[in-house]
């Protein structure tokens, strides 16, 4: 049965609220996802929350009730609370009516099977959690295997990244690794490492993409380090027709991922 | 000569700070752009600020000095101030060392010439200023003529949109219009209206794009209204290979814009 909680100082409320902080997420091993759409995506991907909090104002959506019952059957802590307390936990004035705390999965390179998809997205030192979430969403749309985050990146399990992923945090594998670890792993099996760069004349439309293809996207402000470009099997240029010389990192990832998929369909 | 201002209660400081608010921007007619990179993009596009504020801590960058001198020669109000006051104006803890307030240009449909580019991006009721800025940046990269914002959209001159545009707010035309106004204008001359939709079997890779092409992108959460889709000359579908059924609006705009450009190069 759900516990009724109406106090901001309740320990579980404090625990959920703390998950907005990266250190607390790391220590606890959980992360927050908000909203029925994302919780349903999680359930469809075989994932249930360990803690669920919801505000029953005006009744509980039948799909929410299903997810709550399924989570409870697996031993989840289920909390019925108020919109105010949900707002406190999510940090939003108009919170979703339900949120869940999920176990962070293993993010080691050993946890993924590169043959699971012909396409993987690799990003280096992304700073913006919104970009990480958007790239996960694009990864889902292009049936990438997942996102490999290199070096010192924003946390893919932050509230902002999970929100921008629109549920893809549950459908895409997420890996974090240092560049040298990644390179050793990559070279231990098949895989074409493709970097986007201005330092090449090779047009992204003319290039041949092999499977599995690992698309390497650089940091938002610096792009790829020269030493990373040097390790790529293929460098391609996306033509910049205007005055700017760069794209948003999530945009570059998407244009490349859709194009690589398109090149395999022709 | 620059005025030295070190008081938070100075009238110009208050005026600049107020530009973070949409109503104040509308009343004043100015908008804020921050950072040397964006101010340089503006200058290269023939635009100078009416007010410039900078913090000379550790010296003024030669390019900043050039822009300041050029603005001053045009009668701009130039303010030398502190990093703390710049932080207050930009709303960021680590502000850029320079910011400018620019006149908002005419955003009517009458202000643009559709023959100026074969490609235009049209977006309906975008809510996220970051998406607007990102689409402007993509518009620059694909040499679109500009961005036409339909209906009740976030403000393209907000600090967040200008920042995400990385200067493209100065290189792309920006239009705001109601749908019925836009449609009447569109049909008064040449132009193919292309909508992205799940309600079609026409693959975006197989379609023929005519010039000028107007790419119509729907609102972040609802997509395009059915009545808008009905007016399109062409509806195309981008295949969704994963579990999700939608893309981020800025991602959809970019994949389409790059693909349309690519289709004309072949």
């Amino acid at each position: 049965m759900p516990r009724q909680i109406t106090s901001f100082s309740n320990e579980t409320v404090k625990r959920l609220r703390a998950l907005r902080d990266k250190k607390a997420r790391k220590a606890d091993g959980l992360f927050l996802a908000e909203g029925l759409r994302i919780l349903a995506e999680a359930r469809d991907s075989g994932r249930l929350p360990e803690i669920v909090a919801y505000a029953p104002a005006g009744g509980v959506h039948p799909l929410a009730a299903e997810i709550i019952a399924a989570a409870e059957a697996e031993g989840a802590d289920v909390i019925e609370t108020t919109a105010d307390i949900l707002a406190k936990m999510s940090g939003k004035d108009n919170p979703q009516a339900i949120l869940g705390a999920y176990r962070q999965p293993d993010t080691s390179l050993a946890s993924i099977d590169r043959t699971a998809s012909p396409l993987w997205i690799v990003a280096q030192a992304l700073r913006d959690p919104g970009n990480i979430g958007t790239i996960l969403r694009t990864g889902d749309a292009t049936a990438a295997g997942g996102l490999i985050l290199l070096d010192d990146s924003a946390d893919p399990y932050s509230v902002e990244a999970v929100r921008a992923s629109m549920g893809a945090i549950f459908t895409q594998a997420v890996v974090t690794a240092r560049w040298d670890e990644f390179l050793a792993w990559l070279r231990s099996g098949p895989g074409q490492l493709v970097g986007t760069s201005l330092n090449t004349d090779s047009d992204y439309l003319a290039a041949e993409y092999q499977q599995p293809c690992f698309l390497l996207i650089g940091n938002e402000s610096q792009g790829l380090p020269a030493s990373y470009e040097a390790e790529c099997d293929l460098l391609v240029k996306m033509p910049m027709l205007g005055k700017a010389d760069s794209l948003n990192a999530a945009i570059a990832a998407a244009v490349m991922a859709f194009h690589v998929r398109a090149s395999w369909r022709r």
Side-chain angles (χ1 to χ4, degrees), chain A:
Chain A
M1 285 296 293
R3 295 191 287 148
Q4 314 273 335
I5 293 184
T6 54
S7 160
F8 285 95
S9 60
N10 172 275
E11 286 305 317
T12 307
V13 171
K14 283 199 239 170
R15 181 179 174 195
L16 290 173
R17 193 181 161 192
L19 294 178
R20 287 165 54 202
D21 176 69
K22 183 171 182 175
K23 275 190 195 160
R25 276 195 302 278
K26 198 169 176 189
D28 193 328
L30 298 181
F31 70 98
L32 280 185
E34 307 155 282
L36 189 51
R37 178 170 170 176
I38 295 187
L39 269 66
E41 190 75 64
R43 199 268 312 262
D44 294 348
S45 304
R47 301 285 306 280
L48 289 167
E50 298 193 5
I51 311 173
V52 197
Y54 67 100
V60 175
H61 190 288
L63 183 54
E66 261 180 50
I67 292 168
I68 290 166
E72 206 163 24
E74 298 280 323
D77 188 4
V78 178
I79 290 163
E80 194 177 297
T81 186
T82 65
D84 281 353
I85 290 181
L86 284 181
K88 200 83 179 178
M89 292 191 287
S90 73
K92 287 179 87 173
D93 287 340
N94 294 304
Q96 303 271 356
I98 187 167
L99 60 78
Y102 293 81
R103 178 75 36 198
Q104 293 181 37
D106 179 6
T107 61
S108 68
L109 284 162
S111 71
I112 58 171
D113 168 11
R114 78 179 74 198
T115 66
S117 172
L119 178 65
W120 295 80
I121 303 177
V122 188
Q124 184 250 341
L126 289 186
R127 296 280 181 248
D128 179 349
N131 276 342
I132 292 178
T134 301
I135 292 174
L136 285 166
R137 189 175 175 189
T138 299
D140 180 274
T142 54
L147 173 60
I148 300 170
L149 291 166
L150 300 179
D151 305 337
D152 186 22
S153 162
D155 186 359
Y157 294 105
S158 68
V159 170
E160 295 76 15
V162 171
R163 197 179 280 157
S165 85
M166 294 294 278
I169 190 81
F170 295 109
T171 68
Q172 290 283 290
V174 177
V175 168
T176 54
R178 291 195 322 274
W179 166 245
D180 59 332
E181 287 175 329
F182 166 71
L183 206 58
W185 173 86
L186 179 72
R187 297 313 181 196
S188 72
Q192 180 190 39
L193 186 62
V194 177
T196 54
S197 171
L198 297 173
N199 305 319
T200 175
D201 291 324
S202 173
D203 191 303
Y204 81 114
L205 294 176
E208 292 275 338
Y209 301 96
Q210 291 155 22
Q211 300 184 2
C213 178
F214 291 83
L215 288 178
L216 180 58
I217 305 297
N219 161 275
E220 287 98 343
S221 54
Q222 309 295 325
L224 286 175
S227 62
Y228 289 37
E229 287 192 354
E231 295 289 347
C232 286
D233 301 307
L234 176 64
L235 282 180
V236 294
K237 179 148 82 174
M238 301 164 72
M240 296 287 117
L241 304 179
K243 302 212 174 115
D245 62 357
S246 72
L247 286 173
N248 170 288
I251 297 292
V255 173
M256 283 301 300
F258 271 85
H259 175 68
V260 167
R261 277 285 180 195
S263 76
W264 291 335
R265 286 208 279 148
R266 276 193 202 104

